[in-house]
Amino acid sequence: MISAERIPNNVGLSSNKRLQRALEHWQPKYIQWWRDMGPQGFQDYHQVYVRTAVSVDPAGWAHFEYVKLPEYRWGIFLADPVHDRRIGFGDFMGQSVWQEVPGEFRNQLRRLVVTQGDTEPASVEQQRWLGQRCPSLYDLRNLFQVNVEEGRHLWAMVYLLHSYFGRDGRDEAEELLERQSGNRDKPRILDAFNEPIDNWLDFFMFTMFTDRDGKSQLLSLSESSLDPLSRTTRFMLTEEAHHMFVGETGVARILERTCQLMKEAGFSGDVRKIGGIDLPMIQKFINLWFSLSLDLHGNEVSTNAAAYFANGLKGRAYEEKWDDHRVADAVYELEMMRDGRLERSHIPMRTAMNEVLRDWYVGDCQNGVTRWNKILERHGFSDRLRLPDRKFNRGIGMFSSLHFDPEGHQLSDTDWERRRQEWLPSSLDREYLLSIMAEPVYEPGRFANYIAPPQRGIKGAPLNFEYVRTEA
Ligand code: BYC
């Protein structure tokens, strides 16, 4: 049985018996899902040093302790309400925000909440084997921290479904535990969440690029007129920052080590011979996860996106920084295919809202890649990593039926098939990565050969702290 005491929350759960009962009904299914589909081999005998959200107070919202993963206290937190909050964009701009779901937008809102919710358990499923190949206890703990918080984000969306969407919402909450990443019959909703993540380079790229889509989408949902959705996603962003930190610093530490190994091997040496991860491999994984995550922003021209904006359901990242919040007449310029040729075209800005958010996303990713390149520069290498062109390897949108190289030049189907392995991970690349990750590193303070230690430990703990310990 759960009680309000066992679920940390700031939504007055104990005074809402109906909701409490509904969540009590859902909770054992969630725990069963976590056991079946969560971190494999780390359910019963391991204690993990994780942070748990306990309030929304910026000065002390989380505390750190050892917990067994299935006993993590998944809580429900909404950021504090903003006094007299008004709708900030679209056709209803200036009106009071909604505390209940308006009937006419119920389907659209449910769809947004379900899509957001579906990604959370999906990522846990994708990452469930990584613990068996970890490069250190520090990294293992970070993986589990990310996993439990994705679980909490699922709770956040399930809370909204149960509280505001009635019977349909409860059914959707069940289905969130039934779809499975990569399952042919019941896949997760968005494509990137059905991709396998079987090595740590995938994981770090995923947390760098795909979690950053999480940031784009949460920023835009936090502008929503549906106030509980806005407040929930605002608090989720607090946790999301650490996930991107794990990704960005994970790749940075691999780069650091690659640079050291390149020097050891002689500048032109092949670092694979000494167990490192070479720069072309790193570039291929950037190409893969960046392009998959671009797809997560939807079609370039989207009437769904226009309706979300017009109705105030989903805004732009940092909406307050824009001058025009109605965007009734504005146009957006983008590259489009016309009669087989690329042309600059103008479309109504509202239909381009997915692209507008994608622009923000690309800029944020570029900042991260620029920081990675400083490592190469510091070590005296002239090689540079870069983001591929937006048209490269797309599975959603107007470029998805065509092929482009990372510079954005169009390719024939034959040339694409012939050359794609120059730009995307091949099965040999993946085999190599699995070979250097075959032995997990569980000794405190030790790090696998292909990755440098981080600059500091978690919450002031030293690097040789036992971040994950086996119960005696
Ligand atoms: N894969 O008008 P369009 C995160 C579908 S990540 C498959 O372009 P719309 C996290 C679309 O559903 C953030 N299908 O799309 C990160 C539609 O289908 P129907 C997750 C796709 O609706 C790491 C059709 O194509 N949050 O939090 O404007 C770890 C035409 O769609 C895809 C959200 O996504 C795709 N990539 O926008 C853990 C926020 N893209 O109706 C967590 C909620 C499009 O024709 N979602 N389709 O059957 C949304 O805001 C929007 O649904 C989307 C797409 C941005 C996804």
Side-chain angles (χ1 to χ4, degrees):
M1 287 284 282
I2 51 175
S3 67
E5 291 68 42
R6 279 205 55 210
I7 308 176
N9 75 88
N10 67 351
V11 295
L13 201 53
S14 58
S15 59
N16 186 341
K17 293 293 170 213
R18 186 194 55 79
L19 179 61
Q20 194 176 353
R21 263 198 308 279
L23 291 174
E24 274 176 9
H25 189 69
W26 187 78
Q27 194 222 21
K29 296 179 194 171
Y30 169 81
I31 297 292
Q32 193 56 49
W33 164 81
W34 177 271
R35 286 187 172 279
D36 295 342
M37 298 305 293
Q40 299 295 296
F42 294 90
Q43 299 281 344
D44 290 313
Y45 304 110
H46 295 83
Q47 304 255 8
V48 187
Y49 187 67
V50 280
R51 74 177 179 194
T52 304
V54 289
S55 81
V56 293
D57 176 0
W61 61 273
H63 72 227
F64 285 72
E65 61 183 351
Y66 279 106
V67 290
K68 282 188 189 170
L69 294 179
E71 292 168 10
Y72 185 80
R73 299 176 74 218
W74 284 282
I76 300 169
F77 291 102
L78 272 58
D80 287 336
V82 173
H83 176 68
D84 193 28
R85 183 169 167 251
R86 302 273 155 170
I87 296 174
F89 60 94
D91 294 344
F92 307 114
M93 190 171 157
Q95 297 180 12
S96 289
V97 290
W98 314 318
Q99 299 306 329
E100 292 294 333
V101 175
E104 62 270 42
F105 303 133
R106 193 181 169 93
N107 287 346
Q108 286 178 336
L109 280 164
R110 192 185 56 216
R111 191 187 135 111
L112 286 173
V113 171
V114 167
T115 308
Q116 178 64 50
D118 191 71
T119 63
E120 316 291 0
S123 67
V124 176
E125 294 168 356
Q126 285 171 292
Q127 296 161 16
R128 70 186 187 279
W129 293 105
L130 291 176
Q132 319 234 351
R133 299 172 190 143
C134 68
S136 72
L137 284 188
Y138 166 89
D139 291 290
L140 186 63
R141 175 265 169 212
N142 282 349
L143 166 70
F144 295 152
Q145 182 70 65
V146 169
N147 290 163
V148 289
E149 287 175 350
E150 301 303 6
R152 205 198 68 73
H153 292 180
L154 170 61
W155 271 87
M157 292 301 116
V158 165
Y159 162 75
L160 293 177
L161 288 170
H162 275 266
S163 305
Y164 298 97
F165 294 91
R167 173 143 209 125
D168 298 356
R170 291 195 291 280
D171 290 347
E172 293 283 9
E174 304 277 308
E175 284 178 40
L176 285 169
L177 298 176
E178 284 162 17
R179 285 186 289 271
Q180 275 179 11
S181 175
N183 185 307
R184 221 181 325 158
D185 302 323
K186 280 193 161 187
R188 290 295 175 182
I189 297 171
L190 299 176
D191 294 339
F193 294 89
N194 289 305
E195 292 288 320
I197 300 184
D198 54 10
N199 68 69
W200 282 74
L201 189 53
D202 274 324
F203 172 66
F204 290 135
M205 292 296 180
F206 179 93
T207 37
M208 168 76 179
F209 291 113
T210 309
D211 274 273
R212 193 169 303 268
D213 168 58
K215 181 177 169 188
S216 309
Q217 301 296 339
L218 293 174
L219 280 171
S220 64
L221 292 174
S222 69
E223 302 288 342
S224 182
S225 314
L226 180 60
D227 203 40
L229 174 60
S230 161
R231 291 174 56 199
T232 311
T233 45
R234 255 191 290 144
F235 185 64
M236 288 161 74
L237 281 162
T238 317
E239 289 155 321
E240 202 65 39
H242 176 68
H243 305 184
M244 285 176 294
F245 163 87
V246 168
E248 184 175 331
T249 57
V251 174
R253 289 161 51 215
I254 288 179
L255 269 176
E256 180 69 33
R257 182 65 182 144
T258 298
C259 288
Q260 291 166 7
L261 290 172
M262 275 165 44
K263 285 179 183 163
E264 273 174 37
F267 269 61
S268 58
D270 178 357
V271 294
R272 287 202 197 189
K273 291 200 184 105
I274 46 176
I277 301 181
D278 48 294
L279 294 179
M281 173 95 91
I282 295 173
Q283 182 63 58
K284 284 182 180 184
F285 277 79
I286 292 176
N287 294 347
L288 176 65
W289 285 105
F290 176 68
S291 55
L292 286 169
S293 308
L294 285 177
D295 280 344
L296 289 173
H297 291 75
N299 284 272
E300 290 83 0
V301 185
S302 165
T303 49
N304 288 345
Y308 294 152
F309 188 85
N311 299 332
L313 312 184
K314 191 181 168 192
R316 291 167 289 188
Y318 306 109
E319 185 62 49
E320 77 282 0
K321 292 193 181 160
W322 295 79
D323 293 328
D324 172 11
H325 299 289
R326 288 187 192 269
V327 196
D329 310 311
V331 289
Y332 181 87
E333 189 186 335
L334 82 171
E335 228 179 359
M336 286 180 87
M337 287 306 285
R338 278 240 166 100
D339 305 326
R341 293 162 56 108
L342 282 171
E343 262 179 23
R344 306 292 310 171
S345 306
H346 290 89
I347 59 168
M349 173 86 95
R350 282 188 175 185
T351 60
M353 283 303 169
N354 286 341
E355 197 61 11
V356 170
L357 194 56
R358 196 163 14 236
D359 287 340
W360 177 87
Y361 172 79
V362 172
D364 210 44
C365 290
Q366 183 56 55
N367 293 341
V369 173
T370 304
R371 289 190 288 271
W372 286 342
N373 279 331
K374 296 230 163 73
I375 300 172
L376 292 167
E377 203 181 318
R378 177 161 46 76
H379 282 274
F381 291 104
S382 56
D383 313 68
R384 291 293 176 265
L385 298 167
R386 53 209 168 106
L387 296 175
D389 186 89
R390 287 185 195 207
K391 299 185 287 303
F392 172 77
N393 192 41
R394 293 296 300 281
I396 295 282
M398 65 183 140
F399 303 117
S400 59
S401 54
L402 303 166
H403 298 300
F404 296 86
D405 70 12
E407 277 71 47
H409 304 120
Q410 200 172 345
L411 296 174
S412 67
D413 292 359
T414 341
D415 282 347
W416 168 254
E417 282 312 322
R418 193 165 52 82
R419 300 192 58 193
R420 60 184 293 167
Q421 297 209 338
E422 289 174 33
W423 306 310
L424 291 168
S426 65
S427 47
L428 285 178
D429 294 327
R430 290 188 171 281
E431 266 171 45
Y432 173 72
L433 287 177
L434 287 180
S435 77
I436 59 171
M437 296 176 191
E439 289 300 320
V441 180
Y442 294 142
E443 195 185 309
R446 201 161 79 76
F447 289 81
N449 177 51
Y450 62 83
I451 190 164
Q455 279 167 3
R456 61 188 70 85
I458 302 293
K459 192 79 182 150
L463 292 187
N464 63 1
F465 186 73
E466 202 174 5
Y467 289 103
V468 179
R469 66 184 185 206
T470 314
E471 215 176 38

